[in-house]
Amino acid sequence: KQEVTQIPAALSVPEGENLVLNCSFTDSAIYNLQWFRQDPGKGLTSLLLIQSSQREQTSGRLNASLDKSSGRSTLYIAASQPGDSATYLCAVKRAAGNKLTFGGGTRVLVKP
Amino acid sequence: GAGVSQSPSNKVTEKGKDVELRCDPISGHTALYWYRQRLGQGLEFLIYFQGNSAPDKSGLPSDRFSAERTGESVSTLTIQRTQQEDSAVYLCASSSTQATEAFFGQGTRLTVV
């Protein structure tokens, strides 16, 4: 059974600092991995999708890496801003026709 | 539509009543997911539809929960004889194929009193 863990559960940084968010999964036979952000009381917003054949994906200030063999993905957010404050979730898909399995999320606070 | 649409956005119901939650996926999306998120908790998988294949119902917590989807269109999640522990936000997502990026709706907040 795939288990997805995100550590730390919460993180507080001053504005301008780079953020590093971790996601680990127990079964390395994944199809893809997706990062989301969730604002309080809202749904999930997709940030980045990494296919199993890829090592990283970039979008603006966001960069996500994937190391399947070690069961890890890292989301980097450069030059954090107060608007980056949210909960960040990672989710893995074991095979093409499968559900997404989510981690518990990391709650981020960027202080002005 | 532009995104995944869920209705109602909020629902308050009395314990023991049945409720229906609706999800309109992005047009043309073949895969559809339902998740539940209790207050302060993570996302709990409920059910997954992919085209005309048999749905993955492995996450439904009890036989009070059921979901339907006709083809690649609207899905409804039905909870019968609601209990207080059913109070949660119910989230729906869709993707264009079984392997691509999933997009979520804003959710339905269900409160059972």
Side-chain angles (χ1 to χ4, degrees):
Chain A
K1 177 187 171 186
Q2 177 74 274
E3 292 185 2
V4 182
T5 304
Q6 291 184 250
I7 295 173
L11 185 60
S12 180
V13 299
E15 181 177 3
E17 197 164 292
N18 296 332
L19 283 163
V20 180
L21 306 178
N22 299 303
C23 172
S24 61
F25 44 94
T26 54
D27 186 349
S28 62
I30 66 168
Y31 195 85
N32 61 35
L33 182 147
Q34 195 168 350
W35 282 94
F36 297 87
R37 73 175 272 167
Q38 185 175 33
D39 294 284
K42 306 280 186 175
L44 277 66
T45 300
S46 178
L47 297 174
L48 289 166
L49 172 73
I50 310 178
Q51 301 292 353
S52 62
S53 58
Q54 297 176 313
R55 297 298 298 269
E56 67 176 345
Q57 276 284 3
T58 298
S59 176
R61 293 184 295 113
L62 276 59
N63 175 277
S65 66
L66 175 64
D67 183 343
K68 273 196 341 177
S69 60
S70 66
R72 291 181 186 174
S73 177
T74 303
L75 178 66
Y76 301 89
I77 304 177
S80 61
Q81 303 168 359
D84 295 328
S85 298
T87 296
Y88 291 82
L89 296 144
C90 68
V92 300
K93 182 183 278 279
R94 182 173 64 84
N98 266 212
K99 65 188 181 189
L100 289 165
T101 301
F102 280 85
T106 295
R107 190 171 65 254
V108 171
L109 175 65
V110 181
K111 296 179 284 187
Chain B
V4 178
S5 178
Q6 292 188 246
S7 60
S9 54
N10 281 283
K11 175 73 176 177
V12 180
T13 190
E14 292 181 352
K15 179 181 172 181
K17 298 281 177 111
D18 298 352
V19 294
E20 268 193 8
L21 311 180
R22 177 185 170 106
C23 173
D24 281 273
I26 294 171
S27 179
H29 279 197
T30 59
L32 188 146
Y33 313 74
W34 282 99
Y35 286 82
R36 175 170 73 177
Q37 188 174 34
R38 291 190 168 117
L39 188 63
Q41 309 265 321
L43 271 78
E44 180 184 1
F45 169 72
L46 296 177
I47 189 167
Y48 168 66
F49 295 91
Q50 172 52 49
N52 294 319
S53 301
D56 177 357
K57 303 181 180 181
S58 62
L60 294 177
S62 76
D63 59 8
R64 296 187 297 104
F65 288 72
S66 62
E68 290 184 352
R69 187 185 190 200
T70 304
E72 297 175 3
S73 62
V74 168
S75 176
T76 55
L77 177 68
T78 301
I79 308 173
Q80 296 179 309
R81 305 181 301 282
T82 51
Q83 304 293 314
Q84 287 187 328
E85 69 254 27
D86 300 333
S87 296
V89 176
Y90 289 81
L91 292 161
C92 174
S94 70
S95 63
S96 61
T97 69
Q98 54 199 1
T100 58
E101 192 173 9
F103 296 92
F104 276 78
Q106 292 300 296
T108 293
R109 181 176 301 278
L110 175 67
T111 304
V112 182
V113 298

